[in-house]
Amino acid sequence: MIENQYYSQELQGPFEVESIGELKLEEGGIISDCRIAYRTYGELNEKKDNVILIPTWYSGTSKNMEAYIGQGRALDPDRYFIVVVNQIGSGLSSSPHNSPDPIYGPNFPFVRISDDVRAQHILLTQKWGIKEIALVIGGSMGAQQTYEWAVRYPDMVKRAAPIAGTAKNTYHDFLFTDTLIEAITSDPGYQKGNYHDNSEVSDGLKRHAKIWATMGLSTEFYQQEKWKLFGVDTKEAFITEFMEPLFCSMDPNDLLCMAWKWQRGDVSTMYGGDLAKALGTIKAKVFVMPIDEDMFFPVRDCAAEQKLIPNSELRVIKSICGHFGLFCAEGGEYTNQVDKILSELLQTEIALHL
């Protein structure tokens, strides 16, 4: 295992870790001791029906979701029991860098979005006895997991809010993610995943960061010099003082684990590739929430899927930051929109036949 301070309690905490035992993966691999890192807010009520589940996005951790939660807001810990779950490969849950042999590093098995959701289901049902979820909400890869939850467990999920993500990954996104993967694996220091420290792959991680800076932000973000939202004064500093330090702190194999999973996110696999049939099984009330300037998951892609979901509405979020709007750098300009939409969704009465 590799010690990496980036994934420490000091920087990403507080979080707890629970072993759910052996997890057999859809690709045939096994995580013999699958550990799920999570953070909770609020208290589970007696009926166990006030649960909000938040899965994390690519490269993100439960720490990122603090900006979405607060007293008096839509995701209010005084009203709800909020569980933020770090996906497998995130660096906090079982991941390449923190797993023992024989699945350490490049030997970590292939994981799919469906594996994450099955692991999360085990955590919720075994640890807390939860049978009903008031809301599943997630951004980007968290949105992929949100869709998977709604399709895989339709009698458990009452409401779903996928933000800036799709139920089936597009070929455009698949190709883009290939460039992220190649940025890392083409670094000689990567050594087929057998590096001893993430610093040995710094050139690849810097390329990875620059690609994100190109596609993760909108063209208007740069035109209007909005990099100041991230605490830097120049466009060059946005790369060298924000983007590069962020990604160069992470473990390359962890990023590759999540990237492979992201590429293959597809709820229709449960229904022989029929996306309309898969989305048609959703019983939850769904607000599909794309970001208007997002170049990964444009509104039209999200809207096309939303039309296939029976009890759904399209709610577009405005953010000049594009996909990186998820980081809440715009403060209330972004979070007030999200809170308003989620408050409306949570006030919608839903009756599940459990």
Side-chain angles (χ1 to χ4, degrees):
M1 295 191 289
I2 293 177
E3 291 293 329
N4 187 324
Q5 182 64 17
Y6 180 77
Y7 302 111
S8 66
Q9 286 281 358
E10 181 183 357
L11 294 181
Q12 304 301 335
F15 60 86
E16 299 178 65
V17 180
E18 181 86 6
S19 173
I20 61 167
E22 181 181 272
L23 182 67
K24 295 182 179 179
L25 306 172
E26 292 206 0
E27 289 294 308
I30 295 175
I31 302 176
S32 59
D33 178 26
C34 186
R35 290 163 292 114
I36 303 298
Y38 64 93
R39 180 177 180 183
T40 64
Y41 299 78
E43 300 292 335
L44 184 63
N45 64 13
E46 188 174 344
K47 292 183 178 180
K48 299 185 178 182
D49 64 355
N50 68 330
V51 179
I52 292 178
L53 177 67
I54 309 177
T56 56
W57 57 62
Y58 178 85
S59 80
T61 70
S62 46
K63 190 73 175 177
N64 296 111
M65 306 316 300
E66 290 179 347
Y68 289 82
I69 300 166
Q71 293 179 328
R73 299 180 59 190
L75 305 184
D76 188 341
D78 287 344
R79 298 183 61 193
Y80 298 103
F81 179 57
I82 303 169
V83 184
V84 186
V85 183
N86 295 276
Q87 64 171 297
I88 297 169
S90 64
L92 301 190
S93 294
S94 286
S95 302
H97 96 272
N98 66 17
S99 293
D101 286 331
I103 61 169
Y104 163 72
N107 298 318
F108 198 78
F110 290 118
V111 181
R112 286 188 176 269
I113 295 292
S114 54
D115 297 318
D116 276 301
V117 171
R118 288 189 301 109
Q120 293 162 19
H121 182 267
I122 293 170
L123 176 71
L124 295 186
T125 56
Q126 291 188 1
K127 185 171 181 61
W128 294 291
I130 292 168
K131 297 180 180 179
E132 178 180 313
I133 302 176
L135 171 67
V136 183
I137 171 178
S140 196
M141 281 189 76
Q144 290 181 308
Q145 294 165 76
T146 298
Y147 277 118
E148 183 78 21
W149 262 102
V151 172
R152 185 169 290 271
Y153 302 109
D155 292 320
M156 191 173 181
V157 178
K158 296 181 72 173
R159 303 171 188 83
I163 304 176
T166 53
K168 180 176 182 177
N169 200 38
T170 65
Y171 186 58
H172 176 269
D173 251 13
F174 191 100
L175 288 175
F176 167 75
T177 313
D178 264 351
T179 67
L180 292 173
I181 292 170
E182 289 168 1
I184 292 172
T185 58
S186 62
D187 187 330
Y190 178 65
Q191 301 180 73
K192 297 183 178 180
N194 293 298
Y195 52 86
H196 298 96
D197 186 85
N198 60 322
S199 63
E200 297 175 19
V201 199
S202 61
D203 288 345
L205 290 170
K206 287 178 181 178
R207 288 194 295 269
H208 184 95
K210 189 170 286 187
I211 295 169
W212 269 108
T214 304
M215 284 289 289
L217 288 302
S218 73
T219 55
E220 275 299 297
F221 172 85
Y222 290 102
Q223 287 286 79
Q224 297 186 28
E225 302 185 359
K226 290 295 185 178
W227 49 77
K228 296 175 182 177
L229 291 169
F230 291 85
V232 295
D233 294 326
T234 66
K235 59 182 179 294
E236 292 82 10
F238 179 64
I239 305 299
T240 61
E241 296 178 22
F242 178 77
M243 294 297 296
E244 288 181 357
L246 175 66
F247 283 102
C248 286
S249 299
M250 299 177 189
D251 183 82
N253 282 325
D254 290 2
L255 292 171
L256 294 174
C257 171
M258 289 182 284
W260 190 93
K261 190 197 312 184
W262 166 10
Q263 288 182 303
R264 291 158 181 82
D266 182 1
V267 299
S268 73
T269 57
M270 285 180 277
Y271 291 88
D274 189 333
L275 184 62
K277 186 175 181 179
L279 294 178
T281 66
I282 295 177
K283 297 180 181 180
K285 175 65 178 180
V286 181
F287 279 4
V288 175
M289 300 167 63
I291 295 175
D292 62 346
E293 292 282 353
D294 194 339
M295 292 196 287
F296 288 123
F297 305 100
V299 173
R300 60 179 171 272
D301 289 350
C302 299
E305 291 184 341
Q306 179 264 319
K307 292 175 182 177
L308 301 176
I309 303 171
N311 191 18
S312 69
E313 298 179 33
L314 184 72
R315 299 299 177 91
V316 180
I317 303 169
K318 296 184 180 298
S319 174
I320 199 168
C321 293
H323 196 67
F324 268 43
L326 290 168
F327 281 83
C328 302
E330 295 157 286
E333 287 187 34
Y334 173 85
T335 57
N336 288 344
Q337 294 178 73
V338 174
D339 281 353
K340 182 179 180 180
I341 296 168
L342 294 182
S343 293
E344 181 183 346
L345 179 57
L346 284 164
Q347 289 166 13
T348 304
E349 290 297 325
I350 306 292
L352 290 179
H353 302 289
L354 301 175

